[in-house]
Amino acid sequence: MALAAAASGFHLQSISLLPSPCLLSSNPSHLSHNGFPWRRRGGGAAGTVRCAKRTGKRRYPSEKKRLDRRHKELLRQAAPEEGSAGREAGYWRLSKLAVPARDDPGKDFTGVSPPLLQAIAKALKFPVSSMLPEEAFSVIRKSFDARKILKEPQFIYTVDVDVKKLLDMEPRTWDFIARLEPKLGTIEYMSDEKIASDLVSMLNVEKQDSDDGLGLDDIVNNGSLCSPRKKPRVAVVGSGPSGLFASLVLAELGAQVTLLERGQPVEQRGRDIGALAVRRILNLESNFCFGEGGAGTWSDGKLVTRIGRNTDGVQAVMKTFVHFGAPPNILVDGKPHLGTDKLVPLLQNFRHHLKELGVTIRFNTRVDDLVVEDEQVKGVVVSDTRLQLDSPNQTLSFDAVVLAVGHSARDTYSMLLRHNIAMNPKSFAVVLTSTNPSELCINGMSFSRRASKWANSAFVATVSSHDFKSFESHGSLAGVEFQREFERRAAIMGGGNFVVPAQRVTDFLSNRLAGATIPPSSYRLGVRPAKLHELFPSHITEALQQSILMIDDEMPGFVTSEALLHDKNKLPVANFTKYQYI
């Protein structure tokens, strides 16, 4: 949950964490079905039903068939005619190429193997796979499919075919390329190869082609924020992914950027986290949540998106990670994962590049307030987190302020509320880690190889505004108080001193606590047997129990007395010593 805050020169507007709500009219005559009025049976006033458009699998069969026909026609139109000279160039994208897991070189191999060549030959209807040159093919994506409907687990590939290179190296493939027919979802023709660049390269190319610095002055000065000849001064608050990329783009465009981070750089942050994990010493401003890279630095490093894995925008971000040191296989993996050990050097490289661009990075600098004059943000009030709480603050002036704070910056949300900035609570599945000794919340993490004996799984139960009605007195921050309440309960249940309450999965499902001993845990500060089934509201507990049983139906053996649930504040985490994922 990151906020893009109002900048100087813009009125402080409502910052909504949810789309605007739909309005229901009390006037029946305003009601319609899909925008068309309808009349009740037996007469009476007309009424309206506003229903969402059916999409995806929910589409009507007739509509789905019509769309499929349309897509197929577009594919045929995009490809040159069969046998024409136009087919001697361009690229074909082959999707859903299956290679049995037993034949594949492994999850970390992203090249073209002989089994993959066999799948490519089958798609091209070419008789001899060994005649196909590996150099003509590029692996775009690789994912793993272990669904029960399959006879055996398999890797699924997406591959681009360079037609010119293929014909130059093996002319006998021409007859098959000439007859290749586009197929929806599996075979697509592209006149040019789809290559997304990283953000650094993209911005540098654009700057070379533009005389006005991409119009940044026009953008920032639209509200007469500063002189057109003066570089806009922009403060970015928070050095998580949002803050880092905002600083990168703004600096590349020519802004004078100051990045403000309340925590420590990754080197010192690692030592502070070590002090917490070994000596139980919590630094309130430098921990698993606060510091360079944000909360995800000491987490899984999963690169998850819901906006299209292969879209140009997502690929640009991925390639930016690679530019700063991430392994290239994240560009191909269906479920890309970095790991904490890879994130730390990546962040160091990112920081070094920002400094080369002239970005001023101030660690140990907490933003306590906004400077607001005439309903315009003129700067921020900051304090040094290394000093005592009553130490004097410092006021910094800026032309624009970007808030890129994370879930745990509760004090920032309280500050925004004091400025009467409207914030709407949203449903959430919170993944927080303790930032207060009296509250307890943990998070899972893994290294890049994912080769330890522990298999961590997170069970998510969505919490809506209905669940924290008893906290309505806190207004739009009711959800934050809801979090605090259960983090306090978890701390008490664990007995304090960062000991985590835990329970065998079998006991959690049976709503009991059988015995005073539990299996070993990966959590270093200790676990204590507890009745986790009594921690949350009953409907949340029941949802978690049903989810665990559903997974066990799909993966028999998932439920075992050796599996241990840890409270994760609305996200219990299961540690399995029985299984090892490599």
Side-chain angles (χ1 to χ4, degrees), residues 74-131:
L74 290 175
L75 285 176
R76 283 193 290 269
Q77 292 177 2
E81 293 184 8
E82 291 187 15
S84 67
R87 292 207 169 202
E88 296 178 3
Y91 297 82
W92 288 89
R93 175 158 291 182
L94 310 179
S95 304
K96 299 181 182 179
L97 301 175
V99 175
R102 55 181 167 79
D103 298 332
D104 194 87
K107 69 178 183 66
D108 295 323
F109 181 81
T110 57
V112 179
S113 63
L116 178 56
L117 282 177
Q118 294 177 10
I120 294 172
K122 183 177 179 180
L124 298 178
K125 299 181 180 180
F126 190 75
V128 185
S129 62
S130 59
M131 296 174 59

Side-chain angles (χ1 to χ4, degrees), residues 374-408:
D374 299 327
E375 296 188 337
Q376 295 181 352
V377 177
K378 297 293 186 180
V380 294
V381 178
V382 302
S383 58
D384 191 329
T385 57
R386 295 167 295 185
L387 303 178
Q388 299 296 327
L389 291 177
D390 57 352
S391 301
N393 293 333
Q394 181 182 7
T395 299
L396 306 176
S397 298
F398 294 100
D399 300 310
V401 175
V402 177
L403 289 184
V405 298
H407 282 283
S408 299

Side-chain angles (χ1 to χ4, degrees), residues 107-160:
K107 69 178 183 66
D108 295 323
F109 181 81
T110 57
V112 179
S113 63
L116 178 56
L117 282 177
Q118 294 177 10
I120 294 172
K122 183 177 179 180
L124 298 178
K125 299 181 180 180
F126 190 75
V128 185
S129 62
S130 59
M131 296 174 59
L132 296 175
E134 296 179 11
E135 297 81 359
F137 308 102
S138 302
V139 175
I140 302 302
R141 188 177 184 186
K142 179 179 182 179
S143 59
F144 187 66
D145 191 349
R147 291 175 297 170
K148 290 197 301 184
I149 61 173
L150 302 174
K151 294 182 179 179
E152 60 180 334
Q154 58 191 19
F155 285 97
I156 306 298
Y157 286 84
T158 299
V159 172
D160 279 357

